[in-house]
Amino acid sequence: MTIKTCYFCNIDFVNSFNDRDDYHDFLDFIKRAKKEDLLKLKGIGDVKADKIIAERNNLNNSQLIQFLISNNSSINLEDKYSHFTLDHVIDKGSHPLIALSLYNFVPSCYSCNSKFKGSKQFIDNDLMGYLSPTSENFSFNNDVKFKLYFHNKKDISTIKNKDDYILDFHYFKNKNEYEKYIDIFKLKGRYIFHKDEVMNLIDKKERYSQSQVDEISNIVNISSQQIKKDIFGKELFECNIEDVSMTKFKKDIAKDIKLINESS
Ligand SMILES: [Zn+2]
């Protein structure tokens, strides 16, 4: 099971999970599962669950259990016992055709899905698929970047604390659409809360120059690239955005402060 983050905010985790206890394998499940869990297995009702419990101590002589073991390599639960939050980006009522397409389903966290988006719509027609995080045309990552802004002649070299700059978005394309998107999911406020992460990156960048990283690399005999991943976080170098919380935010800021180069 891979834990991924919300496709809208990239802050909270959105992992699917099965509502059952942990078992080594199917045989262990048959031997130990309480009735409540047995009932979640596909094809098992009240009568069969009781029968499994009655016969599990003598399972070699139980036809039912032997049948189940030979037909189940994994613990297949009824769908209703597997949980995953999915948002319908486009309202099903007004766009019945798009509502069926895959890009309309977006794994999203409780806050984005229920608290903030609710029934609000930000896609008005078929040509706006690029606003859906599960569309291959989704353009948020390229069209919008997190950026630090300074005043009073301050710049990156004079930042001492998080009040020395403001965090905002810079728009390269589709400004109106993404302003609305950011507004709906309250991405500004939710990321301003994490301004400490910016200071964290800036501090580390000052502490570890490339030559120092190279020196450490020589001493411990681990590649410079690996040392950088260990110090600054591997999500800056190798992760899909949706795999790790706040990857886009950290990557955009790391580029903005020239900790990593634009093509990373
Ligand atoms: Zn979210």
Side-chain angles (χ1 to χ4, degrees), residues 125-158:
N125 61 60
D126 301 15
L127 299 173
M128 293 170 78
Y130 60 88
L131 290 171
S132 171
T134 42
S135 160
E136 57 183 17
N137 298 321
F138 185 54
S139 60
F140 182 68
N141 192 34
N142 289 325
D143 292 356
V144 187
K145 302 274 185 195
F146 288 94
K147 193 169 165 44
L148 307 181
Y149 292 92
F150 308 95
H151 70 160
N152 292 340
K153 292 187 181 137
K154 287 204 161 89
D155 63 31
I156 176 76
S157 65
T158 59

Side-chain angles (χ1 to χ4, degrees), residues 2-7 12-16 107 240 242-244:
T2 323
I3 293 180
K4 303 235 169 176
T5 67
C6 172
Y7 278 55
D12 292 333
F13 285 117
V14 180
N15 55 301
S16 64
N240 288 323
E242 61 275 10
D243 286 349
V244 178

Side-chain angles (χ1 to χ4, degrees), residues 6 8-10 12 108-109 112 190:
C6 172
F8 288 128
C9 67
N10 189 214
D12 292 333
S108 49
C109 70
C112 285
R190 291 168 81 190

